[in-house]
Amino acid sequence: MNRPDSASGELVETDVPARLDRLRWGRFHTLVAPALGITWVLDGLEVTITGSIAGALKSSPVLHLTDTQVGLAGSLYLVGAVAGALFFGWLTDRLGRKKLFTVTLGLYLTATAATALSPDFLTFALFRLLTGAGIGGEYAAINSAIQELIPARYRGQSDLVINGSFWLGAAAGALGAVLLLDTGWVSAEIGWRLTFGLGAVLGLGILLLRRWIPESPRWLVLHGRVSEAEAIVAEIEQRLGSAAPQEPLARLRLRPRGLTMADVASTLFRVYPKRTVLGVVLMATQAFFYNAIFFTYALVLGRFYGVADADVGLYLLPFAAGNFLGPLLLGRLFDSVGRRPMIVATYALSGLLLFATAWLFVHGWLDARSQTIAWSIVFFFASAAASSAYLTVSESFPLELRALAIALFYAFGTALGGVAGPLLFGSLIGTGERMAIGWGYALGAALMIVGAAAAAWLGIAAERRPLEDVATPLGQADE
């Protein structure tokens, strides 16, 4: 059992954070990013599978789901993600980032495999909820670890690209759905079940990738385990061939301490109330915007444009490409131009472009192809905006409650904007009225404009700054 180098409350001093931030990007970071960021790929895979096979789920002789039930299943996935994020987020700050990787991944693997065996709607919904719980737990552990391992000057771009990898999973899910729902390969009933096996297969590979990922040195320091943290950093430096610093690095002085709910409440509502408001607004608006449209994407294509169930995945591919290219191409600007101007720009453009798309949809001026192109353009900016919401939350609060803060804001944002979105739009699509759906799109667009205004008012300049500078650790000692 690992023990702290010092008792709780005893002063420790280290240059571990500064040594991590001075590193140049190298093979270590290139391997860490996919090994941890694969969580986003899995989430994209799961969400896309449910959307792509919506038609097959409705026509299944076993499940025979309605439009409302498809939307409800999507909402339950998000409910599970909220619960998983909160529960595992608390454990991540207490027990460490690395220990939670296997637990949350194991839950995900079990639940997504069990989904394929669902005999009725109730069991299907239950397993979707548990799958979401595994993914939500992953978010808390993974995002905190990535933030703490990546050098400050690369943090914005790397975080956006990793978050954007959701759409690589989306593309994989879309392709898998196309292949497995093609009745020339297998029956549609077997095909939709096999699609859920894609996530289990990917998850098994992740177990191998993560075996060599170290515990976050920053987390170790906060818990008084300085010698372990310094040994890990020394090994990373050796891997990268990093030379010893020519000048003394900034040293962090703190007193390791436990985290209480009083600390959490005080930090969020007394020390950083403006950041708390900003985090909730950014997470909630992007969650509604994304989930309302994406969870019902296949329903719109099928009902209004007559796209066959087996062909829905083909229309998701350009949509996924736009979503991934946004963070990939715009991510660097979040480190150079700055957080605030880029968040404002991406949120505002997303809202304005969706307003235009809604108007074209309501007037019937789009077909399946042009609708897909329009959505791809909208979400080129919306994807970068959504990723910046996670970036903002994960770097705005002290290290001691980083994972829990990510979990709390993910939970609040998803509960406010994500759970209601798919259910609402599922019902709107069920009416068959373009105008009703258009008003729903207008609501999502207006919320993104609200997000842009909040960023303009409350945004912080966190670009290229150490995490300990952006938010002072709770246990940091005065010089």
Side-chain angles (χ1 to χ4, degrees), residues 48 164-172 174-175 290 294 297 313-330 372-373 375-384:
T48 307
S165 67
F166 174 99
W167 297 100
L168 298 179
L175 283 173
Y290 251 97
F294 188 53
Y297 189 97
L314 296 176
Y315 288 88
L316 282 171
L317 289 177
F319 182 74
N323 275 274
F324 180 65
L325 289 173
L328 181 65
L329 299 179
L330 299 177
T372 299
I373 293 173
W375 271 333
S376 299
I377 296 173
V378 170
F379 283 88
F380 174 88
F381 298 100
S383 182

Side-chain angles (χ1 to χ4, degrees), residues 301-367:
L301 291 175
R303 179 176 290 271
F304 293 98
Y305 301 116
V307 175
D309 295 343
D311 294 334
V312 167
L314 296 176
Y315 288 88
L316 282 171
L317 289 177
F319 182 74
N323 275 274
F324 180 65
L325 289 173
L328 181 65
L329 299 179
L330 299 177
R332 184 174 300 179
L333 299 178
F334 284 78
D335 285 322
S336 57
V337 176
R339 303 284 198 265
R340 180 185 291 180
M342 288 305 300
I343 294 173
V344 171
T346 52
Y347 267 78
L349 284 171
S350 301
L352 293 173
L353 289 170
L354 183 60
F355 271 127
T357 301
W359 189 82
L360 295 172
F361 171 79
V362 168
H363 288 80
W365 290 356
L366 300 173
D367 57 17

Side-chain angles (χ1 to χ4, degrees), residues 11-13 251-255 472-479:
L11 182 68
V12 300
E13 186 174 349
R251 298 184 69 82
L252 176 67
R253 302 173 72 249
L254 56 81
R255 300 182 187 277
T472 303
L474 299 179
Q476 183 164 317
D478 295 332
E479 296 292 340

Side-chain angles (χ1 to χ4, degrees), residues 193-218:
R193 296 179 184 275
L194 290 178
T195 55
F196 287 106
L198 293 174
V201 171
L202 275 177
L204 289 174
I206 298 167
L207 288 175
L208 298 176
L209 281 175
R210 288 185 179 172
R211 291 179 61 186
W212 61 271
I213 300 293
E215 179 58 88
S216 164
R218 282 181 157 103

Side-chain angles (χ1 to χ4, degrees), residues 25-49:
W25 189 276
R27 185 171 180 269
F28 170 79
H29 304 105
T30 302
L31 292 175
V32 163
L36 296 182
I38 195 72
T39 295
W40 290 92
V41 176
L42 291 176
D43 191 20
L45 179 70
E46 290 295 326
V47 171
T48 307
I49 284 175

